[in-house]
Coordinates of all heavy atoms in Angstrom, one line a residue:
A87 N -21.1 3.7 -1.2 CA -20.2 4.9 -1.4 C -19.3 4.8 0.0 O -19.8 4.5 1.0 CB -21.1 6.1 -1.4
T88 N -18.2 5.2 -0.3 CA -17.1 5.2 0.7 C -16.4 6.5 0.6 O -16.0 7.0 -0.5 CB -16.2 4.1 0.6 OG1 -16.7 2.8 0.4 CG2 -15.2 4.0 1.8
E89 N -16.0 7.3 1.8 CA -15.3 8.5 1.8 C -13.9 8.2 2.2 O -13.7 7.5 3.1 CB -16.1 9.5 2.8 CG -17.4 10.0 2.2 CD -17.9 11.2 3.0 OE1 -17.4 11.3 4.1 OE2 -18.9 11.8 2.6
I90 N -13.0 9.0 1.6 CA -11.6 8.8 1.8 C -11.0 10.3 1.9 O -11.2 11.1 0.9 CB -10.7 8.0 0.8 CG1 -11.3 6.5 1.0 CG2 -9.4 8.1 1.0 CD1 -10.6 5.7 -0.1
R91 N -10.3 10.5 3.0 CA -9.6 11.9 3.1 C -8.2 11.8 2.4 O -7.3 10.9 2.8 CB -9.3 12.2 4.6 CG -8.9 13.7 4.7 CD -8.9 14.0 6.2 NE -10.2 14.2 6.8 CZ -10.9 15.3 6.5 NH1 -10.5 16.4 5.9 NH2 -12.1 15.2 7.0
L92 N -7.9 12.5 1.4 CA -6.7 12.4 0.5 C -5.5 12.7 1.4 O -4.5 12.0 1.3 CB -6.8 13.2 -0.6 CG -7.7 12.9 -1.7 CD1 -7.6 13.9 -2.9 CD2 -7.6 11.6 -2.1
A93 N -5.4 13.9 2.1 CA -4.3 14.1 3.0 C -2.9 14.3 2.1 O -1.8 13.8 2.5 CB -3.9 13.2 4.2
G94 N -3.2 14.8 0.9 CA -1.9 15.2 0.1 C -1.6 14.1 -1.0 O -0.8 14.3 -1.9
G95 N -2.2 12.9 -1.0 CA -2.0 11.9 -2.0 C -2.7 12.0 -3.2 O -3.6 13.0 -3.4
T96 N -2.7 11.0 -4.0 CA -3.5 11.0 -5.3 C -4.2 9.8 -5.2 O -3.9 8.6 -5.2 CB -2.6 10.9 -6.5 OG1 -1.8 12.2 -6.5 CG2 -3.3 10.9 -7.8
L97 N -5.7 9.9 -5.6 CA -6.6 8.8 -5.6 C -7.0 8.7 -7.1 O -7.4 9.7 -7.8 CB -7.8 9.0 -4.8 CG -8.8 8.0 -4.7 CD1 -8.3 6.7 -4.0 CD2 -10.0 8.4 -4.0
S98 N -7.0 7.5 -7.8 CA -7.2 7.3 -9.1 C -7.9 6.0 -9.4 O -7.8 5.1 -8.6 CB -5.9 7.4 -9.9 OG -5.1 6.2 -9.7
T99 N -8.6 6.0 -10.6 CA -9.2 4.7 -11.0 C -8.7 4.4 -12.5 O -9.4 3.8 -13.2 CB -10.8 4.9 -11.1 OG1 -11.1 6.1 -11.9 CG2 -11.3 5.1 -9.7
S100 N -7.6 4.9 -12.7 CA -7.1 4.7 -14.2 C -6.4 3.3 -14.5 O -6.5 2.8 -15.7 CB -6.1 5.8 -14.5 OG -5.0 5.7 -13.6
A101 N -6.0 2.5 -13.5 CA -5.3 1.3 -13.8 C -6.2 0.0 -13.9 O -7.4 0.3 -13.4 CB -4.2 1.0 -12.6
E102 N -5.8 -1.0 -14.5 CA -6.6 -2.1 -14.5 C -5.9 -3.4 -14.3 O -4.5 -3.4 -14.3 CB -7.0 -2.3 -16.1 CG -8.4 -1.4 -16.3 CD -8.8 -1.9 -17.7 OE1 -8.2 -2.6 -18.5 OE2 -10.1 -1.6 -18.0
S103 N -6.5 -4.4 -13.7 CA -6.1 -5.7 -13.4 C -6.7 -6.7 -14.5 O -8.0 -6.4 -14.7 CB -6.2 -6.2 -12.0 OG -5.7 -5.3 -11.2
R104 N -6.1 -7.7 -14.8 CA -6.5 -8.6 -15.9 C -6.4 -10.0 -15.3 O -5.4 -10.4 -14.9 CB -5.8 -8.5 -17.2 CG -6.1 -9.3 -18.3 CD -5.6 -8.9 -19.6 NE -5.6 -9.9 -20.8 CZ -4.8 -10.7 -21.1 NH1 -3.5 -10.7 -20.6 NH2 -5.0 -11.6 -22.1
F105 N -7.4 -10.8 -15.6 CA -7.5 -12.2 -15.1 C -7.9 -13.1 -16.4 O -8.8 -12.8 -17.1 CB -8.7 -12.4 -14.1 CG -8.4 -11.6 -12.7 CD1 -8.7 -10.4 -12.7 CD2 -8.0 -12.3 -11.7 CE1 -8.4 -9.6 -11.5 CE2 -7.7 -11.7 -10.4 CZ -8.0 -10.3 -10.3
V106 N -7.0 -14.1 -16.5 CA -7.1 -15.0 -17.5 C -7.1 -16.4 -17.0 O -6.2 -16.9 -16.3 CB -5.9 -14.9 -18.6 CG1 -6.1 -15.9 -19.7 CG2 -5.9 -13.4 -19.1
L107 N -8.2 -17.2 -17.5 CA -8.2 -18.6 -17.1 C -7.7 -19.4 -18.5 O -8.2 -19.2 -19.4 CB -9.6 -19.1 -16.8 CG -9.9 -20.6 -16.4 CD1 -9.1 -20.8 -15.0 CD2 -11.4 -20.9 -16.3
A108 N -6.6 -20.2 -18.1 CA -6.0 -20.9 -19.3 C -5.6 -22.4 -18.9 O -5.7 -22.5 -17.8 CB -4.7 -20.1 -19.7
N109 N -5.3 -23.1 -20.0 CA -4.9 -24.5 -19.6 C -3.4 -24.7 -19.7 O -3.0 -25.8 -20.0 CB -5.7 -25.4 -20.7 CG -5.4 -25.1 -22.1 OD1 -4.5 -24.3 -22.4 ND2 -6.1 -25.7 -22.9
T110 N -2.7 -23.5 -19.6 CA -1.2 -23.6 -19.5 C -0.6 -22.6 -18.7 O -1.2 -21.7 -18.4 CB -0.8 -23.4 -21.1 OG1 0.7 -23.5 -21.1 CG2 -1.2 -22.0 -21.6
S111 N 0.5 -23.0 -18.2 CA 1.4 -22.1 -17.4 C 2.5 -21.4 -18.1 O 3.4 -20.7 -17.7 CB 1.9 -22.6 -16.1 OG 2.7 -23.8 -16.4
N112 N 2.6 -21.7 -19.6 CA 3.6 -21.3 -20.5 C 3.2 -20.0 -21.0 O 2.2 -20.0 -21.7 CB 3.9 -22.4 -21.5 CG 5.2 -22.0 -22.2 OD1 5.5 -20.8 -22.5 ND2 5.9 -23.1 -22.6
A113 N 4.0 -19.0 -20.9 CA 3.7 -17.6 -21.2 C 3.5 -17.7 -22.9 O 2.7 -16.8 -23.3 CB 4.8 -16.6 -20.9
S114 N 4.2 -18.4 -23.6 CA 4.3 -18.4 -25.1 C 3.0 -19.1 -25.5 O 2.6 -18.9 -26.6 CB 5.5 -19.0 -25.6 OG 5.6 -20.4 -25.2
D115 N 2.3 -19.9 -24.6 CA 1.1 -20.6 -25.1 C -0.1 -20.1 -24.5 O -1.2 -20.6 -25.0 CB 1.2 -22.1 -24.7 CG 2.5 -22.8 -25.3 OD1 2.9 -22.4 -26.4 OD2 2.9 -23.7 -24.7
V116 N 0.0 -19.1 -23.7 CA -1.3 -18.8 -23.0 C -2.3 -18.1 -23.8 O -3.6 -18.3 -23.7 CB -1.0 -17.8 -21.8 CG1 -0.4 -16.4 -22.4 CG2 -2.2 -17.5 -20.9
A117 N -1.9 -17.5 -24.9 CA -2.8 -16.8 -26.0 C -3.7 -17.9 -26.5 O -4.9 -17.7 -26.8 CB -2.1 -16.0 -27.0
N118 N -3.1 -19.0 -26.9 CA -3.9 -20.2 -27.6 C -4.6 -21.0 -26.6 O -5.6 -21.6 -27.0 CB -3.0 -21.0 -28.4 CG -2.3 -20.2 -29.6 OD1 -3.0 -19.4 -30.1 ND2 -1.1 -20.6 -29.9
G119 N -4.2 -20.9 -25.3 CA -4.8 -21.8 -24.3 C -5.9 -21.0 -23.3 O -6.2 -21.6 -22.3
T120 N -6.2 -19.8 -23.8 CA -7.1 -19.0 -22.9 C -8.5 -19.6 -23.1 O -9.1 -19.7 -24.2 CB -7.0 -17.6 -23.3 OG1 -5.7 -17.0 -23.1 CG2 -8.1 -16.7 -22.6
L121 N -9.2 -19.6 -21.9 CA -10.6 -20.2 -21.8 C -11.5 -19.0 -21.5 O -12.6 -19.0 -22.0 CB -10.7 -21.3 -20.7 CG -9.9 -22.6 -20.9 CD1 -10.1 -23.4 -19.7 CD2 -10.1 -23.1 -22.2
G122 N -11.1 -18.1 -20.7 CA -11.9 -16.9 -20.4 C -10.9 -15.8 -19.9 O -9.8 -16.0 -19.5
E123 N -11.4 -14.5 -20.1 CA -10.6 -13.4 -19.7 C -11.6 -12.3 -19.2 O -12.7 -12.0 -19.6 CB -9.9 -12.7 -20.9 CG -9.1 -11.5 -20.7 CD -8.4 -11.2 -22.0 OE1 -8.0 -12.0 -22.8 OE2 -8.1 -9.9 -22.0
W124 N -11.1 -11.6 -18.0 CA -11.9 -10.6 -17.3 C -10.9 -9.4 -16.9 O -9.7 -9.7 -16.6 CB -12.5 -11.2 -16.1 CG -13.4 -12.4 -16.3 CD1 -14.7 -12.3 -16.6 CD2 -12.9 -13.7 -16.5 NE1 -15.3 -13.6 -16.8 CE2 -14.2 -14.4 -16.8 CE3 -11.7 -14.2 -16.4 CZ2 -14.1 -15.8 -16.9 CZ3 -11.7 -15.7 -16.5 CH2 -12.9 -16.4 -16.9
T125 N -11.5 -8.2 -16.8 CA -10.7 -7.0 -16.4 C -11.5 -6.3 -15.4 O -12.6 -6.4 -15.4 CB -10.4 -6.1 -17.5 OG1 -11.6 -5.6 -18.2 CG2 -9.5 -6.8 -18.6
S126 N -10.7 -5.7 -14.5 CA -11.3 -4.8 -13.5 C -10.4 -3.6 -13.2 O -9.2 -3.6 -13.3 CB -11.4 -5.7 -12.2 OG -11.9 -4.8 -11.1
G127 N -11.2 -2.5 -13.1 CA -10.5 -1.2 -12.7 C -10.0 -1.3 -11.3 O -10.6 -2.0 -10.4
T128 N -8.8 -0.6 -11.0 CA -8.2 -0.5 -9.7 C -8.4 0.8 -9.2 O -8.3 1.8 -9.8 CB -6.6 -0.9 -10.0 OG1 -6.6 -2.2 -10.5 CG2 -6.1 -0.8 -8.5
I129 N -8.8 0.8 -7.9 CA -8.8 2.0 -7.1 C -7.6 2.1 -6.2 O -7.3 1.3 -5.4 CB -10.1 2.0 -6.1 CG1 -11.4 1.8 -7.0 CG2 -10.2 3.4 -5.4 CD1 -12.7 1.7 -6.1
A130 N -6.7 3.1 -6.5 CA -5.4 3.2 -6.0 C -5.2 4.7 -5.4 O -5.5 5.6 -6.0 CB -4.4 2.9 -7.0
Y131 N -4.6 4.6 -4.1 CA -4.1 5.8 -3.5 C -2.5 5.7 -3.5 O -2.0 4.7 -3.1 CB -4.6 5.9 -2.1 CG -4.1 7.0 -1.3 CD1 -4.6 8.3 -1.3 CD2 -3.0 6.9 -0.4 CE1 -4.1 9.3 -0.6 CE2 -2.4 7.8 0.3 CZ -3.1 9.1 0.2 OH -2.4 10.2 1.0
E132 N -1.9 6.9 -3.9 CA -0.5 6.9 -4.0 C 0.0 8.2 -3.2 O -0.5 9.3 -3.4 CB -0.1 7.0 -5.5 CG -0.4 5.7 -6.3 CD 0.1 5.8 -7.7 OE1 1.3 5.6 -7.9 OE2 -0.6 6.2 -8.5
E133 N 1.0 8.0 -2.4 CA 1.6 9.0 -1.7 C 3.1 8.5 -1.5 O 3.4 7.8 -0.8 CB 0.9 9.2 -0.3 CG 1.7 10.2 0.7 CD 1.7 11.5 0.2 OE1 0.8 12.0 -0.6 OE2 2.6 12.3 0.6
G134 N 4.0 9.3 -2.3 CA 5.4 8.9 -2.2 C 5.6 7.5 -2.8 O 5.1 7.1 -4.0

Side-chain angles (χ1 to χ4, degrees):
T88 309
E89 290 188 346
I90 292 181
R91 186 176 296 275
L92 291 185
T96 298
L97 186 68
S98 66
T99 58
S100 56
E102 278 192 344
S103 299
R104 179 169 172 258
F105 295 78
V106 175
L107 183 66
N109 58 12
T110 179
S111 61
N112 190 323
S114 61
D115 297 334
V116 67
N118 296 326
T120 295
L121 305 179
E123 181 179 328
W124 304 263
T125 59
S126 175
T128 297
I129 303 173
Y131 173 86
E132 296 180 85
E133 171 65 21

